[in-house]
Amino acid sequence: MKACYPGSFDPITNGHLDIISRASGMFEEVYVLIMKNPKKTCLFSEEERKNMIEKSLPADMKNVKVKIGEGLTVNEARRLGCGAIIRGIRAVSDYEYELQIATANMMLGHEIETIFLIAKPQYSFLSSSVVKEIASYHGDILNLVPYQIAEEVEAKFAK
Ligand code: ADP
């Protein structure tokens, strides 16, 4: 079965990368799907986010591809031939929001299952927002994002 992992990835963090790596061991093919969201203002363009994710993937993770999508996630999942949507859950606060979306997606595409992967404890407080906040004050983000993109993230906040 193929799966997609939709999100903003603004930017990708080590928490996202861990979910990608675990999903890549579970599914034939995983599409990391950068969803265009008109309601969200992102720091990085879709192309920048795509390049950063591609740079972060280990060379031996050959069944992971990065795509840019828009509109309804279930439509993108169908277009890509995916039977599953992967989402990560860090805390109870994620659960309520994720449950709402997963239930809506279930109504829109009953043939597509949402699969939740629980965050590793070391990543349970990690989010793209936390990374941006720390980087904006020139704090150390080396343990928070893949090493291949740390400089690029820091450069966004350089004077
Ligand atoms: P969105 O705007 O769709 O929430 P994000 O890029 O913030 O996009 O997150 C994409 C998915 O990855 C969400 O399911 C989110 O809960 C999950 N996620 C984010 N950070 C982590 C983390 N540190 N560990 C595990 N899952 C995470």
Side-chain angles (χ1 to χ4, degrees):
M1 191 190 278
K2 295 182 188 181
C4 61
Y5 177 33
S8 309
F9 307 102
D10 186 45
I12 182 171
T13 69
N14 285 338
H16 291 132
L17 191 59
D18 179 59
I19 297 286
I20 295 169
S21 141
R22 286 157 61 194
S24 98
M26 295 168 65
F27 296 93
E28 183 192 321
E29 189 107 40
V30 174
Y31 296 105
V32 180
L33 192 54
I34 301 165
M35 289 301 289
K36 291 185 186 176
N37 184 348
K39 277 191 261 154
K40 227 174 177 177
T41 314
C42 285
L43 179 64
F44 295 95
S45 71
E46 281 118 25
E47 281 305 323
E48 283 175 319
R49 285 178 270 157
K50 183 169 186 273
N51 288 334
M52 284 193 287
I53 300 172
E54 282 170 346
K55 263 199 242 173
S56 305
L57 297 175
D60 61 355
M61 219 184 265
K62 293 196 193 311
N63 63 341
V64 178
K65 296 198 171 61
V66 190
K67 303 270 180 196
I68 296 170
E70 61 190 329
L72 293 174
T73 305
V74 284
N75 288 347
E76 291 292 10
R78 269 196 203 112
R79 198 173 58 81
L80 294 165
C82 296
I85 293 173
I86 309 284
R87 294 287 286 178
I89 291 203
R90 288 161 289 189
V92 177
S93 50
D94 277 343
Y95 178 74
E96 259 186 78
Y97 171 72
E98 294 293 340
L99 183 67
Q100 197 176 15
I101 297 190
T103 308
N105 285 340
M106 187 187 271
M107 292 191 293
L108 294 166
H110 58 88
E111 79 283 18
I112 301 169
E113 289 288 353
T114 297
I115 313 251
F116 293 115
L117 296 183
I118 301 297
K120 284 227 181 105
Q122 62 266 44
Y123 303 133
S124 65
F125 293 97
L126 183 51
S127 65
S128 300
S129 308
V130 163
V131 167
K132 287 182 276 194
E133 177 101 25
I134 295 174
S136 74
Y137 295 114
H138 309 292
D140 188 3
I141 55 162
L142 256 183
N143 294 321
L144 310 181
V145 298
Y147 68 90
Q148 298 94 325
I149 70 151
E151 259 181 42
E152 189 172 341
V153 175
E154 284 163 359
K156 268 279 179 203
F157 296 97
K159 284 209 182 115

